[in-house]
Amino acid sequence: MKIGLMGLGTVGKGVVHVINQNGDSIEKRIGEKIEIKKILVKDAEKKRSPLVEGKLVLDPMEILNDDEIDVVVEVMGKEHPALEYIKKALENGKSVVTANKEVIARHGKELIKLANEKKVSLLYEASVGGGIPIIRPLKQCLAANKIYEVKGILNGTTNYILSEMKDRGMSFEGVLKEAQQKGYAELDPTDDIEGFDAARKLAILCTLSFNKYVVPDDIYTKGISSISKEDIKYAQELGYTIKLIAYGKIYENEKLEAWVHPVMISKESPLNGVNGVYNAILIEGNAVGRLMFYGQGAGMMPTASAVVADIIDVVNHIPGKNGYEDADIIPIQDTVSKYYIRLIALDKPGVMSKITGILGNEGISLVSVVQKEVHEDAAEIVLITHHANTGRIFKALDEIKNLHEIYKVASIIRVEED
Ligand SMILES: NC(=O)C1=CN([C@@H]2O[C@H](COP(=O)(O)OP(=O)(O)OC[C@H]3O[C@@H](n4cnc5c(N)ncnc54)[C@H](OP(=O)(O)O)[C@@H]3O)[C@@H](O)[C@H]2O)C=CC1
Ligand SMILES: N[C@@H](CC=O)C(=O)O
Ligand code: NA
């Protein structure tokens, strides 16, 4: 499977990294090697990674007219000339993967029609929520539902700015600069700050969720440029957090409400804890109920994760192109965990030392021990172990169970701390 990559910025570099890092395991999984054959850039003088040596081109036609290239991956950004390149690729019978929300939100309808006519794929998972899987779940896993409502934090840059202003008392300009350095912001950060990027993403989500074609111009859009440190302080005093929210709802009369606006979010809302570059999307469907999708909405590797998954999806739709190896499952006895153990024992001196002795022989040490009387002659003993080999825990419990002072091993629960 030969790829033509258009763009080698934050996302393009991520795609090169992921394919370089995970190429072998991907090949094993899908039965096909993904090879980046050519990469389109604008600036021939920029210093680039040795990984892309010999692949760079400045003329888009070198990719679009290359018969060996099966998939064009557009990660250049901006509406033009990306739109024209995507169209040309589809016309030439190539599948297209793109992260470009501007192009999909404005021209998705005609592009999907063209892809269908040409019997090729047009995939755009990275266009909404970066690394969060949301497009494919809406198209496939939730297809049985009537979706009523879509609500979320859809822009990583503005969420990062608002979180950092609140938590570190940073200035708007200072945090924006950080977001740009981290590769979160659009080329023109006004797109992020004024809410246009979130509106493009909301247009895509509303179209998929409500089955009505929604474009960014339909969406009332207000960004965060007027949010000051004072607003953030007052919000905290009043028990709220300010978030840039994108909201879409379909009413029974089939009318839609769709807007992007700063919102005072109460402490109880699941969106309140979504901080930094993280995005979250809440979906309400009539069969599935409420769902929340959460993850990094921008950045090199999370976004590349979605782009490369789309490339894999193209391969998976070629008949006979996937295969799985047999799984080698680690026996539960060989796994390691802390354990909570509750025992019912005879309330008599010496019982505890027998129990700790058996555990000690298996190299199991204890974080805590609690003992309570439950009857005249019975006590409940609750132990929390340090990390231990599960096989040794089982062996020790078998021995403990057989002590005549033990009535029963009432519970064994794994303990996790993160
Ligand atoms: N950054 C992120 O976290 C996310 C980005 N996206 C989307 O992904 C896309 C790419 O974003 P990002 O990687 O951040 O963008 P960058 O600005 O970092 O990179 C753009 C790349 O495209 C190349 N390029 C731009 N215009 C042209 C042109 N006309 N001809 C040839 N090459 C061109 C640039 O070339 P050169 O290197 O020579 O300058 C550069 O390599 C955008 O649509 C964005 O909205 C989606 C999700 C998350
Ligand atoms: N600029 C965007 C990038 C991802 O789509 C954002 O900050 O969310
Ligand atoms: Na996504």
Side-chain angles (χ1 to χ4, degrees):
M1 170 67 64
K2 290 198 170 39
I3 307 296
L5 184 61
M6 301 188 113
L8 189 60
T10 303
V11 182
K13 282 186 234 167
V15 170
V16 171
H17 270 295
V18 171
I19 292 177
N20 181 53
Q21 224 175 56
N22 301 345
D24 288 348
S25 61
I26 293 172
E27 186 181 346
K28 277 189 187 158
R29 181 159 346 126
I30 65 176
E32 179 88 19
K33 185 177 170 62
I34 295 174
E35 184 199 329
I36 299 176
K37 186 178 178 195
K38 291 176 185 166
I39 304 173
L40 178 74
V41 293
K42 202 163 48 175
D43 181 351
E45 305 304 317
K46 255 190 210 171
K47 198 169 159 11
R48 315 274 179 180
S49 148
L51 288 175
V52 301
E53 218 175 271
K55 295 181 192 278
L56 300 187
V57 297
L58 296 172
D59 176 4
M61 292 308 154
E62 283 208 46
I63 290 178
L64 299 170
N65 288 333
D66 185 332
D67 289 338
E68 270 190 12
I69 288 179
D70 312 288
V71 184
V72 168
V73 178
E74 184 280 308
V75 285
M76 297 168 16
K78 308 293 289 174
E79 188 174 3
H80 304 286
L83 170 65
E84 290 70 29
Y85 295 174
I86 292 173
K87 267 192 191 163
K88 182 77 182 160
L90 296 171
E91 276 160 6
N92 286 357
K94 299 180 191 310
S95 288
V96 171
V97 170
T98 178
N100 197 322
K101 36 267 152 86
E102 194 168 357
V103 165
I104 294 297
R106 286 187 200 286
H107 306 281
K109 197 175 177 181
E110 53 171 316
L111 293 175
I112 289 163
K113 187 165 170 269
L114 179 57
N116 289 342
E117 278 166 16
K118 294 287 173 182
K119 298 191 170 41
V120 290
S121 303
L122 170 65
L123 301 174
Y124 45 93
E125 182 58 73
S127 68
V128 182
I132 306 172
I134 182 66
I135 303 294
R136 196 166 287 108
L138 278 173
K139 281 205 266 191
Q140 295 173 4
C141 319
L142 299 173
N145 285 263
K146 183 164 170 43
I147 293 172
Y148 301 126
E149 193 181 73
V150 175
K151 175 156 101 178
I153 296 171
L154 299 183
N155 184 267
T157 303
T158 46
N159 203 48
Y160 183 79
I161 292 173
L162 291 171
S163 305
E164 295 293 296
M165 282 174 76
K166 176 167 90 61
D167 297 338
R168 282 165 54 203
M170 301 257 304
S171 73
F172 192 104
E173 294 72 24
V175 206
L176 170 60
K177 207 168 264 169
E178 271 188 19
Q180 286 176 302
Q181 281 161 357
K182 287 173 185 277
Y184 302 156
E186 296 301 303
L187 193 60
D188 177 358
T190 316
D191 285 357
D192 298 293
I193 291 157
E194 299 302 348
F196 306 137
D197 178 75
R200 290 168 192 149
K201 292 165 175 168
L202 181 64
I204 297 171
L205 290 185
C206 286
T207 300
L208 290 172
S209 303
F210 308 140
N211 219 14
K212 308 264 181 202
Y213 191 53
V214 178
V215 293
D217 289 344
D218 294 330
I219 296 172
Y220 176 86
T221 303
K222 182 175 162 58
I224 63 160
S225 56
S226 62
I227 306 288
S228 66
K229 277 185 178 172
E230 284 71 32
D231 295 316
I232 289 173
K233 198 175 84 203
Y234 282 123
Q236 274 182 292
E237 278 175 26
L238 294 164
Y240 295 102
T241 308
I242 302 174
K243 299 281 182 196
L244 183 64
I245 298 295
Y247 183 78
K249 185 178 169 79
I250 188 160
Y251 289 91
E252 276 184 12
N253 61 7
E254 299 281 296
K255 279 190 187 297
L256 296 192
E257 179 178 340
W259 47 259
V260 171
H261 203 284
V263 174
M264 294 267 183
I265 294 284
S266 77
K267 294 264 188 298
E268 290 72 37
S269 165
L271 296 177
N272 182 66
V274 178
N275 291 314
V277 73
Y278 281 81
N279 284 189
I281 302 145
L282 297 169
I283 304 265
E284 178 109 33
N286 65 346
V288 74
R290 207 170 197 213
L291 290 172
M292 180 162 171
F293 296 83
Y294 171 77
Q296 294 182 58
M300 181 168 101
M301 295 304 266
T303 309
S305 154
V307 172
V308 177
D310 276 350
I311 300 172
I312 293 170
D313 196 77
V314 175
V315 180
N316 280 339
H317 282 89
I318 303 171
K321 287 282 183 190
N322 54 43
Y324 296 104
E325 288 183 335
D326 290 341
D328 184 4
I329 307 277
I330 301 169
I332 191 73
Q333 286 82 352
D334 293 349
T335 64
V336 169
S337 177
K338 286 184 165 186
Y339 277 89
Y340 158 101
I341 298 162
R342 185 164 62 88
L343 306 168
I344 311 293
L346 196 63
D347 194 4
K348 195 176 120 183
V351 176
M352 189 64 85
S353 69
K354 280 194 185 171
I355 293 167
T356 50
I358 292 172
L359 292 168
N361 287 342
E362 291 303 328
I364 299 159
S365 57
L366 296 173
V367 175
S368 66
V369 180
V370 177
Q371 182 172 352
K372 273 194 196 144
E373 191 184 290
V374 284
H375 274 296
E376 301 157 357
D377 68 334
E380 200 165 46
I381 300 174
V382 172
L383 313 167
I384 306 267
T385 72
H386 279 293
H387 279 98
N389 169 279
T390 299
R392 288 177 162 235
I393 293 273
F394 287 177
K395 191 157 171 269
L397 284 174
D398 272 348
E399 258 189 76
I400 290 171
K401 210 162 50 189
N402 288 332
L403 291 174
H404 76 272
E405 294 93 338
I406 297 294
Y407 292 124
K408 102 171 159 178
V409 177
S411 325
I412 312 164
I413 302 175
R414 291 170 83 102
V415 178
E416 280 185 23
E417 252 124 43
D418 52 4

